[in-house]
Amino acid sequence: MRLDNNSQNHITPQHEEKNYIVLARRTRPQSFSELVGQEDVSKAIEGMLSNKKVPHAFLFTGTRGTGKTSSARILAKSLCCEKGPTHSPCQTCIHCTQITACAHDDVLEIDGASNTGIDNIRELREATRFYPNSARYKVFIIDEVHMLSTGAFNALLKTLEEPPPQVVFILATTELHKVPITVRSRCMIFSFKKIDPEVIAEHLKGILHKENIQFEDDALKMIAREAKGSLRDSLSLLEQIIAICDHTFISTEQTKKGLCLQGEEIAERIFTAICAQETGQAIELLQQADTASLDIATLIENTAQLFRNSMLIKSLNDKERTIRLTQLLPKEYDTLKMTADKLSIASLSEIFRLLSSSVKEIARSNAGLAWAEIIVTDCIARAEWLSAAEIMSLIRNGGGQNVPLPLHSAAQKPIIMSPEKPVPKEEMKVTGPSLQNQNPSNVKANSIDLEAFKNLVMHAEKRSKTLATRLGFAKIDIFTAKTVQFSDSPENSTYLSFNESDLIHFWESIREIGFQDAEFKGTFTPKAPQIRKIPLKDQQSLQNNLKSPSERQTHSLKAPKNQQNVALHFQKYNENISINTKTESKQLTKKAISLSEIKTHEKSQDFLQRERAILEKEHIQQLKKLATEIQITSLE
């Protein structure tokens, strides 16, 4: 083998027919300027070399095929070149040529996957003690360093932290999280990003031009997209396609067949069947894929990706931007847009979510085909879904007002508007257990000053949230400036059982609305507290009998000694409660109503008005003619 330093590839076999070298090796970059898609890393390392500030340990991380090992070799040449350290190796000196041929004595490449033990690291430590044979530095390149054992990492720590001045370590890994933090903290880390498909496609064009092979641009875009950011993978795929096309012309159709994509064509046909809601065709395609020994999980994953791309097409509505984000070809973009045009964004996203979440289940199951058939059938059933935002968009486009449309609740049964039998307006009624025998809109006729009672609740809420809540649920018979009467319903015994502080707040709120002179009636209606005056002699004797301030403070809290005192003690809450009588439950009068029921009725009436307004819109009538099911429920 001879070395041709004038060529860009630097290595040309003497007998090409006998010693063929693959594209990935022939086109390997030999300087940082030739590194593809890693401009940030190249610039940083070139700056270190130019300023003669080279650290003793580097750690290159990134996915496969992004240039980690190539950069390590370029860095070794830059350090050992006769004109170095330099960011542009001469490629002609003995050191550069030997490093290019992987035959330099002072540049040692170690495979971390096969040298994982502590004994291998001990040998490496012994090698660092000796000076380089001919070069300026002794460079150790450890590839896949994350494969080292824990003991090997621990044995390497001291040498990695304080190596001899002539030693440089270059570590490379695809899984940085598996490298111990103690090793990472001793190295300068450079992250190699995935290479953009457009950059890969341009690089492949340059290679094909040098090889004098004609091609179609879409074919190279498909190869770059399938490489998933790895330049080495794209070169391997390109060489495979060149062989299939007989080194003459690379067409899109031949590329699609040569890439051996896992059922991509069948996935496109399943996607079309789901969009067209053809269940039989979709199941037949799944059975064909199973007969062809295709992986069903991968097939479903490819189908989910098509729905994801369709969702972006419909959401963005920008061809150039969508193609850039999805890496679709223009023909693929047009096909997906036309196929999924009738589906809503809600249905596309739901089908994608269903397909992608089922991939793992299908892969683990022994009945993957049956799983896939059930999932695809479920997807077809969801192809008619409409989101609330899309229905609102229909309303706005139809010229209607921006009326908030209620959302569907799974806990309630939806009202389905059928074009054959529309629901008459007079049948739309709101019923409830407390409103069946009365009309809350006539509360004025029932001697209830609703505004005054609302003010009472508002003032009570400022003092006590609990008091306001109880008053909101309590049922009222009469509430005027002359008479206040709460219902004798059994639930009022709970709602109107105020403690001492809430009772005080209640009467303060009554005074603020000016109802303190009203007559308070009813079994459970709170009564005004009666303040009993104690004679002066009794007050002095009471104070003398108290032994301490603590007794004086808790005297009023002592429990009564007999049943009569118990009755008197609770009489301040309700005069009609006694120890010798049992309160009998009285039936709810027809005019009793609570504030919460009034508010609920107002909301229901408001909802019915909005519902009627929506149903009278022209575009809603058009939707009904198209047999579109609109689900209308209550919106909180």
Side-chain angles (χ1 to χ4, degrees):
M1 179 183 295
R2 67 181 180 84
L3 300 178
D4 185 4
N5 296 322
N6 295 325
S7 65
Q8 184 177 357
N9 298 327
H10 302 284
I11 299 180
T12 304
Q14 186 174 1
H15 304 288
E16 187 174 356
E17 296 179 356
K18 296 181 180 180
N19 301 320
Y20 177 73
I21 300 177
V22 296
L23 281 176
R25 291 179 59 189
R26 278 190 288 141
T27 60
R28 185 187 290 272
Q30 301 300 323
S31 64
F32 287 111
S33 60
E34 298 177 7
L35 201 61
V36 179
Q38 306 296 342
E39 290 78 10
D40 295 338
V41 175
S42 301
K43 185 177 180 180
I45 296 178
E46 287 177 354
M48 294 178 183
L49 295 171
S50 300
N51 296 321
K52 311 296 182 183
K53 296 181 179 180
V54 181
H56 62 269
F58 295 82
L59 178 56
F60 295 162
T61 177
T63 57
R64 68 184 189 280
T66 52
K68 299 184 297 297
T69 305
S70 298
S71 299
R73 292 180 181 178
I74 297 172
L75 179 58
K77 280 195 290 187
S78 300
L79 294 174
C80 298
C81 182
E82 291 181 355
K83 299 180 180 180
T86 177
H87 62 274
S88 300
C90 66
Q91 310 293 345
T92 58
C93 67
I94 186 64
H95 301 296
C96 291
T97 54
Q98 287 184 355
I99 293 174
T100 301
C102 299
H104 202 290
D105 294 337
D106 295 326
V107 178
L108 305 178
E109 289 193 29
I110 303 171
D111 182 18
S114 57
N115 297 275
T116 61
I118 188 172
D119 294 334
N120 302 112
I121 300 301
R122 286 172 179 170
E123 293 176 3
L124 184 147
R125 290 173 55 187
E126 290 296 328
T128 59
R129 298 171 56 188
F130 300 99
Y131 280 88
N133 294 329
S134 58
R136 185 179 295 104
Y137 290 95
K138 179 169 282 191
V139 181
F140 294 90
I141 301 175
I142 306 178
D143 202 3
E144 300 299 332
V145 69
H146 65 274
M147 299 293 290
L148 295 180
S149 63
T150 304
F153 274 123
N154 293 334
L156 184 62
L157 287 180
K158 188 60 179 178
T159 305
L160 192 63
E161 183 177 6
E162 297 178 356
Q166 75 280 3
V167 174
V168 174
F169 286 98
I170 305 176
L171 313 180
T173 179
T174 55
E175 301 182 37
L176 181 62
H177 61 280
K178 292 185 178 181
V179 180
I181 185 62
T182 52
V183 174
R184 283 181 277 167
S185 62
R186 289 166 168 80
C187 303
M188 182 165 289
I189 303 176
F190 291 93
S191 180
F192 287 70
K193 63 182 180 180
K194 288 186 177 181
I195 304 174
D196 191 85
E198 296 180 358
V199 177
I200 294 178
E202 290 297 325
H203 183 69
L204 298 182
K205 287 181 183 179
I207 293 175
L208 291 177
H209 284 311
K210 293 178 182 179
E211 297 288 337
N212 295 323
I213 299 176
Q214 301 298 322
F215 58 88
E216 291 183 1
D217 290 341
D218 289 348
L220 298 186
K221 290 180 180 178
M222 292 179 66
I223 295 174
R225 183 179 64 189
E226 187 65 18
K228 294 180 174 58
S230 172
L231 186 62
R232 183 174 62 239
D233 288 5
S234 68
L235 292 172
S236 300
L237 292 173
L238 177 62
E239 196 158 26
Q240 177 183 345
I241 300 303
I242 290 174
I244 292 175
C245 297
D246 198 20
H247 296 76
T248 55
F249 177 74
I250 300 177
S251 63
T252 304
E253 293 298 327
Q254 289 291 334
T255 302
K256 191 172 184 180
K257 294 179 181 179
L259 289 177
C260 297
L261 299 177
Q262 187 73 295
E264 183 171 315
E265 183 178 355
I266 297 181
E268 293 175 355
R269 295 169 62 185
I270 293 175
F271 168 78
T272 304
I274 294 176
C275 294
Q277 301 182 25
E278 297 179 358
T279 307
Q281 183 179 357
I283 293 178
E284 288 178 359
L285 290 170
L286 287 174
Q287 292 179 353
Q288 291 178 13
D290 185 62
T291 304
S293 298
L294 295 178
D295 184 31
I296 301 298
T298 305
L299 180 65
I300 295 298
E301 186 176 4
N302 292 338
T303 308
Q305 190 68 18
L306 293 175
F307 279 98
R308 174 255 184 188
N309 293 337
S310 301
M311 183 179 61
L312 292 180
I313 290 173
K314 208 171 187 67
S315 301
L316 298 178
N317 199 21
D318 186 345
K319 185 173 182 179
E320 295 182 359
R321 188 178 183 184
T322 306
I323 290 177
R324 186 175 67 254
L325 292 175
T326 59
Q327 300 301 324
L328 289 172
L329 301 179
K331 293 182 180 179
E332 294 175 339
Y333 175 90
D334 296 335
T335 302
L336 291 179
K337 184 176 181 180
M338 181 179 62
T339 305
D341 183 59
K342 296 182 180 179
L343 272 68
S344 65
I345 297 177
S347 62
L348 290 172
S349 60
E350 182 64 24
I351 293 173
F352 168 75
R353 187 179 296 109
L354 181 61
L355 291 173
S356 59
S357 62
S358 64
V359 171
K360 292 183 179 179
E361 297 294 335
I362 294 174
R364 289 196 298 260
S365 175
N366 293 329
L369 178 61
W371 260 104
E373 291 174 351
I374 293 173
I375 294 299
V376 169
T377 304
D378 197 3
C379 291
I380 293 175
R382 304 187 187 202
E384 296 182 348
W385 281 24
L386 282 177
S387 65
E390 287 167 332
I391 296 178
M392 290 297 299
S393 178
L394 290 175
I395 293 175
R396 295 190 185 98
N397 294 336
Q401 299 178 352
N402 189 9
V403 182
L405 188 67
L407 300 175
H408 171 61
S409 175
Q412 298 178 345
K413 185 176 180 180
I415 302 175
I416 300 177
M417 307 305 298
S418 174
E420 292 81 4
K421 296 181 180 181
V423 178
K425 297 179 183 178
E426 54 271 12
E427 292 184 9
M428 298 180 182
K429 298 180 180 180
V430 177
T431 60
S434 60
L435 301 177
Q436 293 176 354
N437 300 325
Q438 57 190 5
N439 187 3
S441 61
N442 298 328
V443 291
K444 290 289 184 180
N446 291 336
S447 301
I448 298 178
D449 191 346
L450 184 59
E451 294 299 326
F453 189 71
K454 288 183 178 180
N455 290 333
L456 172 67
V457 175
M458 180 186 67
H459 290 300
E461 187 175 7
K462 295 179 181 179
R463 294 173 170 84
S464 172
K465 297 286 185 180
T466 305
L467 175 62
T469 304
R470 289 174 176 269
L471 291 176
F473 284 97
K475 295 186 181 296
I476 320 166
D477 284 341
I478 302 173
F479 193 87
T480 61
K482 296 182 179 180
T483 306
V484 174
Q485 180 178 348
F486 285 89
S487 172
D488 293 342
S489 60
E491 55 265 29
N492 273 5
S493 64
T494 302
Y495 295 142
L496 299 178
S497 296
F498 302 148
N499 57 28
E500 188 172 354
S501 60
D502 282 348
L503 187 62
I504 295 174
H505 295 326
F506 173 78
W507 287 108
E508 290 177 352
S509 303
I510 287 290
R511 294 189 190 95
E512 289 194 13
I513 65 173
F515 277 35
Q516 65 273 13
D517 296 330
E519 180 182 3
F520 290 84
K521 300 180 179 179
T523 304
F524 304 113
T525 303
K527 302 300 186 296
Q530 298 179 358
I531 302 175
R532 184 171 60 87
K533 295 184 179 180
I534 304 176
L536 182 60
K537 293 181 179 180
D538 296 341
Q539 292 181 7
Q540 292 178 354
S541 60
L542 179 62
Q543 292 178 359
N544 294 333
N545 292 333
L546 295 179
K547 297 180 180 180
S548 63
S550 60
E551 293 181 356
R552 198 175 296 125
Q553 184 178 357
T554 59
H555 183 267
S556 61
L557 301 179
K558 291 184 179 180
K561 295 182 179 180
N562 51 52
Q563 293 181 347
Q564 187 66 26
N565 289 337
V566 172
L568 294 175
H569 183 73
F570 284 94
Q571 201 168 13
K572 60 183 178 182
Y573 297 111
N574 198 317
E575 289 181 350
N576 294 324
I577 297 178
S578 64
I579 197 67
N580 296 323
T581 61
K582 296 182 179 179
T583 305
E584 297 181 356
S585 299
K586 298 183 179 180
Q587 296 182 352
L588 177 63
T589 58
K590 293 185 179 180
K591 59 182 178 180
I593 190 172
S594 65
L595 182 61
S596 62
E597 292 173 340
I598 296 173
K599 292 182 178 180
T600 301
H601 179 74
E602 291 176 350
K603 290 181 180 179
S604 301
Q605 292 297 330
D606 180 61
F607 168 71
L608 286 177
Q609 292 177 2
R610 290 186 292 162
E611 181 181 347
R612 294 189 187 102
I614 292 173
L615 294 176
E616 291 173 359
K617 300 297 181 183
E618 181 180 358
H619 48 274
I620 296 297
Q621 299 298 328
Q622 294 176 358
L623 289 174
K624 289 164 61 178
K625 291 179 181 179
L626 295 174
T628 302
E629 296 180 353
I630 303 177
Q631 299 174 342
I632 305 177
T633 55
S634 138
L635 174 65
E636 288 297 332

